Amino acid sequence: MEALKCIETRRSIRKFKEQQVPHETMREIVAEAAFAPSWKNTQVTRYIVVEDKAVLARIADEAVLGFAHNTDIIKGAPALVVVTMVHGRSGFERDGSFSTSKEDRWEVFDAGLATQTFCLAAHDKGVGSVILGIFDEAKVAEIIGLDEGQRVAALVAAGYADEAPEAPKRKEAGELVRFLD
């Protein structure tokens, strides 16, 4: 798929078919997402694909801060991708000091770039996704047994779409850009 078409046609998918996405397809999506830029090429983003219905239910019931919409999405998705980041690399110098005033917030920026790249690669492969932002990071980490040194960045429900939402209205470029000539 052409890059601009992929960007323009990707939608947040919240209703999925029951069909699992093959592991090989998920690996291909992650391989494409690995091309996302990162701070000094640190590549701190990792992906944990949760397909176990009991684990999905625990995350949905215990880790979305009471946000019922996310509970429904997670329970209806064949997979939930827990996007994590290795803490302490992105935004740091080798001696452990911060490189900029953004301090360790670069790791979140890098994980965001990788998450969007993941979603675009998924769309290109016919897999729908939606990025979920309302969740308890510590609880998700506990439920999935996240490795020490990593933090949860985002949750992405993924699967084959069972809906075709219209594009939401977008702001005109003139509202979004300013030039200093």
Side-chain angles (χ1 to χ4, degrees):
M1 179 182 303
E2 293 292 323
L4 294 179
K5 181 178 180 185
C6 190
I7 292 167
E8 292 169 359
T9 61
R10 187 209 165 268
R11 301 286 175 270
S12 291
I13 301 298
R14 295 173 176 85
K15 294 181 183 172
F16 302 93
K17 296 177 181 175
E18 290 183 23
Q19 177 185 1
Q20 287 292 130
V21 176
H23 288 184
E24 185 55 33
T25 302
M26 280 293 199
R27 282 187 198 93
E28 291 170 359
I29 293 166
V30 169
E32 294 302 321
F35 284 94
S38 63
W39 175 270
K40 295 186 178 183
N41 198 33
T42 51
Q43 301 180 49
V44 298
T45 307
R46 303 292 185 271
Y47 307 86
I48 299 168
V49 181
V50 180
E51 299 171 322
D52 181 300
K53 290 294 183 190
V55 177
L56 289 170
R58 274 197 72 198
I59 293 170
D61 291 335
E62 301 174 27
V64 297
L65 304 171
F67 189 58
H69 193 52
N70 281 359
T71 298
D72 294 341
I73 292 168
I74 294 168
K75 286 185 174 182
L80 182 70
V81 180
V82 180
V83 180
T84 70
M85 55 203 168
V86 178
H87 178 62
R89 291 189 193 160
S90 185
F92 293 85
E93 294 300 316
R94 290 190 186 275
D95 67 4
S97 65
F98 297 121
S99 298
T100 74
S101 62
K102 291 213 181 309
E103 300 178 343
D104 68 348
R105 294 185 304 271
W106 278 107
E107 65 190 15
V108 177
F109 187 82
D110 287 352
L113 289 166
T115 302
Q116 175 66 359
T117 304
F118 175 94
C119 291
L120 289 170
H123 177 54
D124 184 63
K125 299 226 175 260
V127 176
S129 63
V130 63
I131 301 169
L132 307 173
I134 300 174
F135 58 89
D136 180 329
E137 294 176 41
K139 189 65 179 176
V140 172
E142 173 192 321
I143 291 170
I144 66 170
L146 186 62
D147 292 342
E148 188 174 325
Q150 290 189 34
R151 292 184 176 174
V152 177
L155 303 179
V156 179
Y160 295 106
D162 199 20
E163 65 176 343
E166 292 292 320
K169 183 171 175 21
R170 299 292 180 192
K171 293 180 180 182
E172 295 294 325
E175 294 180 65
L176 304 173
V177 66
R178 180 173 71 129
F179 296 95
L180 300 177
D181 295 332

